[in-house]
């Protein structure tokens, strides 16, 4: 809405600035309560292991995928130079919603059994579930790239990622693979710290996780730090 009314692409072009759209993929932090309630009623939210709804869209729900991809298509067709994906991951508490279970069972080729206990740490299917989460997010990242590039083959795709590769993997962000497979052009490690040594260690870890791709890492600086 703001994009269309403000003609930001024209303003950016006038000043020689490349306009990249920031897309919040799954988090509903800034979504109106009424809209969130509608999504909750439709069973479209993530759930924690206790069955509580979380303020995030479930990445495995087909309608949620369609919703975000439609937004990507609209942005790409309206002339933005790039699209930046944020919250392209799972939170620590989820997701164990019905759509996630169904997608995991398709991935595994059999019933999940004692859900969600079987996929929690120490469960019989815990390792398989972690692989599923990484592949589920990777598939969606590729889908966003394919969708955007249909409208603009030269569009630049980037994503905000956790700077510690192990933490990123635990949340479904196998971002070195996204770079290798060219699903994204750049990743932006969220190196939000006031400590220079911590910042350097994070960026070094990112360079080691993605050898040969140092020029495709754009460090994110926390302005609040």
């Amino acid at each position: 809405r703001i994009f269309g009314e403000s003609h930001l692409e024209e303003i950016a072009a006038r000043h020689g600035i490349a306009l990249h759209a920031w897309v919040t993929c799954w988090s509903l932090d800034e979504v109106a309560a009424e809209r969130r309630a509608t999504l909750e009623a439709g069973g479209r939210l993530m759930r924690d292991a206790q069955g509580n709804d979380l303020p995030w869209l479930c990445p495995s729900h087909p309608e949620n995928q369609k919703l975000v991809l439609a937004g990507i298509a609209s942005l790409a067709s309206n002339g933005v130079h790039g699209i930046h994906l944020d919250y392209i991951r799972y939170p620590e508490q989820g997701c164990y919603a019905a759509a996630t279970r169904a997608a995991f069972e398709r991935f595994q080729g059999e019933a999940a059994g004692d859900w969600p206990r079987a996929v929690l740490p120490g469960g019989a299917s815990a390792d398989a579930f972690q692989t599923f989460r990484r592949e589920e997010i990777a598939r969606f990242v590729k889908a966003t790239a394919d969708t955007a590039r249909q409208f603009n083959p030269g569009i630049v795709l980037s994503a905000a990622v956790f700077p510690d590769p192990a933490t990123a993997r635990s949340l479904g962000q196998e971002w070195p693979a996204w770079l290798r497979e060219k699903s994204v052009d750049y990743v932006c490690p969220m190196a939000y710290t006031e400590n220079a040594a911590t910042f350097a260690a994070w960026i070094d870890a990112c360079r080691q996780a993605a050898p040969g791709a140092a020029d495709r890492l754009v460090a994110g600086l926390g302005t609040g730090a």
Side-chain angles (χ1 to χ4, degrees):
R1 182 180 60 80
I2 294 173
F3 180 88
E5 292 175 1
S6 302
H7 303 294
L8 295 180
E9 75 281 12
E10 297 176 11
I11 297 170
R14 208 159 51 236
H15 292 278
I17 297 171
L19 178 67
H20 290 229
W22 174 29
V23 176
T24 301
C25 294
W26 307 126
S27 172
L28 297 176
D29 281 350
E30 297 183 11
V31 174
E34 182 179 347
R35 172 62 169 153
R36 192 182 299 182
T38 300
L39 293 166
E40 181 178 355
R44 294 173 58 177
L45 302 189
M46 289 195 196
R47 285 187 176 174
D48 64 17
Q50 289 72 47
N52 301 307
D53 284 323
L54 300 172
W56 292 62
L57 291 174
C58 173
S60 297
H61 198 295
E63 292 303 313
N64 293 341
Q65 296 173 9
K66 290 178 184 177
L67 176 67
V68 178
L69 290 176
I72 296 285
S74 177
L75 290 164
S77 64
N78 274 285
V80 295
H81 294 87
I83 290 176
H84 178 68
L85 306 175
D86 202 357
Y87 290 92
I88 185 69
R89 60 179 176 86
Y90 295 91
E92 292 181 0
Q93 308 97 311
C95 171
Y96 306 96
T100 299
R101 177 176 184 172
F104 175 65
E105 290 178 341
R106 288 193 298 271
F107 169 82
Q108 189 171 234
E110 61 183 23
D114 186 9
W115 182 270
R117 188 171 301 172
V119 299
L120 293 175
S125 300
D127 290 344
F129 188 63
Q130 289 301 312
T131 300
F132 156 78
R133 281 159 50 102
R134 292 191 292 269
E135 294 192 11
E136 190 80 337
I137 296 297
R139 279 193 295 271
F140 188 77
V141 172
K142 185 177 187 306
T144 64
D146 291 344
T147 298
R149 288 165 181 162
Q150 286 180 2
F151 296 94
N152 178 1
I155 199 167
V156 176
L157 278 298
S158 61
V161 300
F162 272 66
D164 173 54
T167 300
R169 292 183 85 248
S170 73
L171 299 175
Q173 289 187 329
E174 187 80 66
W175 58 258
W178 305 352
L179 288 171
R180 287 195 304 271
E181 295 163 9
K182 300 185 178 178
S183 296
V184 294
D185 299 293
Y186 300 95
V187 295
C188 302
M190 298 180 290
Y192 305 155
T193 177
E194 296 177 351
N195 187 289
T198 301
F199 179 86
W202 276 340
I203 299 306
D204 285 345
C206 290
R207 290 166 64 100
Q208 292 173 24
D215 59 341
R216 299 171 67 194
L217 302 175
V218 181
L221 306 178
T223 57

